[in-house]
Amino acid sequence: MTADFSHPFRAYSPAEFEFPLPEGHRFPYYKYRGVRDRLSGLLPVLSTPALPWAVAGQVHDPHWLRAWRRGEVSAAQERAFGLPWSEGVVERARRAAGGSLAALGDALEVGWGACLAGGTHHAFRDRAEGFCLLNDAAIMSHVALSEGRVGRVAVLDLDVHQGNGTAALLAGESRALTVSVHGERNYPFRKERSSLDVGLGDGVTDAEYLAVLDAQVVPALEAFRPELLLYLAGVDVLAGDRFGRFALSLDGVRERNRRVFRWAAGAGVPVVTMMAGGYNRNHALTVEAHASVVLDGLEVLAGG
């Protein structure tokens, strides 16, 4: 892909300044630029392409998508989404999902694709929730399966919040495995049913979390034998996150990432990584944790 790097990997990131959000928004824009800067020189970072609306319409209700494109949404819909409607909000969601779809192509070609955004697992077929408008994991699963590029897809959701939209969208798809390890008492308070849900209590530590991966997650993946792994590498599991209740350290999150990558490498399964959530009170820690997903991928998959 480029002669400047000793590995074939690259990442995709939306440029937040291209899609301004309304004043007073709560979205953590700072982390996207911070992660790009942190990874500068380690791999190419490309601007995310826009997801074609026709592709989004294969998973989401086309009439609902049209209403969001036109701004024909209610105040209640905006509240559920978490942001007021604007053209920038919609276009950024489209770019984030487009980055994940581009990363899917890389994963199937060279073994790993990284989207420095995405992981929008609260988006339903006709409902936006929790900063999530387009469900990139469900879209990638549909594209990969419907085009015959793989026969089985596993969605491994390690964000602190349950991937309720993903679970609902893929509930009827026998070729997809949805795994969510999340806070049982955290948002969303009405959970959907994933293939495997592991709801944990508040204050979970590194050792407790990693034991769950070894005892429950890895056996589920091995039994399903996926041909593609979609990894939502949320860092809102860190202690000090504004919306999380776990107590993992940065070292614990990095060991989590390494175990996922090592399993995938050992099984010969291509991986797509998405940022998902991360809202730590320590902004520098949020950036470093999100960047570590790529750093750990390079360590395991590129030997660097």
Side-chain angles (χ1 to χ4, degrees):
M1 295 177 180
T2 175
D4 297 332
F5 297 91
S6 60
H7 58 78
F9 305 120
R10 59 186 178 181
Y12 298 87
S13 176
E16 71 279 357
F17 53 83
E18 295 179 358
F19 315 113
L21 298 183
E23 188 174 346
H25 71 82
R26 300 183 300 146
F27 197 70
Y29 253 166
Y30 70 88
K31 67 183 184 179
Y32 299 96
R33 183 184 293 275
V35 170
R36 287 199 304 271
D37 291 345
R38 177 67 176 84
L39 298 175
S40 176
L42 299 178
L43 80 173
V45 178
L46 285 62
S47 294
T48 52
L51 181 77
W53 285 113
V55 175
Q58 295 173 20
V59 169
H60 294 283
D61 179 76
H63 299 289
W64 177 78
L65 290 175
R66 188 178 303 113
W68 274 89
R69 291 172 67 181
R70 295 176 175 177
E72 298 169 353
V73 297
S74 67
Q77 288 175 310
E78 290 182 320
R79 285 194 298 272
F81 179 43
L83 292 168
W85 181 92
S86 72
E87 291 183 4
V89 162
V90 175
E91 184 61 16
R92 192 198 176 279
R94 189 179 173 212
R95 293 288 180 137
S100 294
L101 189 62
L104 169 64
D106 286 358
L108 295 176
E109 181 180 349
V110 300
W112 174 34
C115 181
L116 306 182
T120 43
H121 56 172
H122 298 311
F124 287 76
R125 175 170 171 78
D126 58 358
R127 189 164 84 247
E129 291 184 0
F131 299 147
C132 300
L133 181 63
L134 302 174
N135 193 307
D136 54 345
I139 290 169
M140 284 188 287
S141 298
H142 175 80
V143 168
L145 292 169
S146 66
E147 294 182 357
R149 303 174 80 177
V150 300
R152 291 181 302 279
V153 177
V155 180
L156 176 57
D157 193 332
L158 299 186
D159 189 278
V160 80
H161 305 106
Q162 194 217 28
N164 55 342
T166 308
L169 284 166
L170 296 177
E173 178 52 79
S174 63
R175 298 168 295 172
L177 177 79
T178 52
V179 177
S180 181
V181 180
H182 53 263
E184 184 63 29
R185 297 175 58 240
N186 209 329
Y187 176 91
F189 301 108
R190 181 183 181 278
K191 306 289 194 291
E192 299 291 333
R193 178 174 293 183
S194 309
S195 305
L196 173 64
D197 283 304
V198 183
L200 304 177
D202 295 354
V204 171
T205 63
D206 294 348
E208 294 168 327
Y209 192 92
L210 296 172
V212 166
L213 289 187
D214 291 342
Q216 299 188 58
V217 174
V218 168
L221 292 174
E222 291 180 343
F224 186 70
R225 296 180 295 110
E227 297 172 10
L228 171 67
L229 180 65
L230 307 181
Y231 174 30
L232 282 73
V235 303
D236 42 11
V237 295
L238 283 165
D241 192 89
R242 291 188 296 126
F243 302 136
R245 297 177 177 176
F246 288 178
L248 271 68
S249 68
L250 180 59
D251 287 342
V253 169
R254 298 203 64 172
E255 180 57 27
R256 174 200 73 173
N257 298 334
R258 293 186 191 105
R259 292 191 188 191
V260 172
F261 283 120
R262 287 176 189 143
W263 180 85
V269 177
V271 184
V272 177
T273 54
M274 294 152 278
M275 281 177 66
Y279 317 93
N280 211 277
R281 295 178 180 88
N282 182 340
H283 288 190
L285 180 59
T286 299
V287 169
E288 186 62 24
H290 278 306
S292 76
V293 178
V294 174
L295 300 175
D296 298 331
L298 290 173
E299 176 186 321
V300 173
L301 302 176

